[in-house]
Amino acid sequence: MNRFEGGMNREAKIRYLDGDYQILTPGAYVLCAMTGASIPVDEVRYWSVARQEAYVDLQSAVEADKRAGILPNQKRA
């Protein structure tokens, strides 16, 4: 499914799996759990299976892992 098929203006509901995801309710986008930015469904690249959240980019995904206590909080030099 691409962004031009049905559900063009609504949020998709997705089940995030290891290395893939399953669309539960068709839609055009999902929201980044860290920034609130809309991510077109066909551009979703970063997510957490454990938290069932999508992220707009790698930096947001890493920050979410830090917030969840999965990664150590690194001090900047």
Side-chain angles (χ1 to χ4, degrees):
M1 177 174 173
N2 64 42
R3 74 176 99 179
F4 303 109
E5 296 174 3
M8 190 142 173
N9 291 322
R10 67 178 174 198
E11 183 177 358
K13 300 298 179 200
I14 294 180
R15 179 175 163 215
Y16 299 100
L17 308 169
D18 289 329
D20 200 5
Y21 54 83
Q22 176 184 27
I23 298 173
L24 302 175
T25 303
Y29 64 90
V30 294
L31 296 176
C32 174
M34 292 298 291
T35 67
S38 294
I39 309 165
V41 170
D42 59 348
E43 294 178 18
V44 173
R45 301 287 182 265
Y46 304 98
W47 62 81
S48 167
V49 174
R51 292 183 301 277
Q52 291 294 293
E53 298 175 336
Y55 309 108
V56 71
D57 56 20
L58 179 60
Q59 181 178 356
S60 295
V62 170
E63 289 301 318
D65 283 347
K66 285 180 183 178
R67 181 183 67 189
I70 294 172
L71 297 177
N73 291 328
Q74 299 174 352
K75 294 182 181 177
R76 295 183 184 189

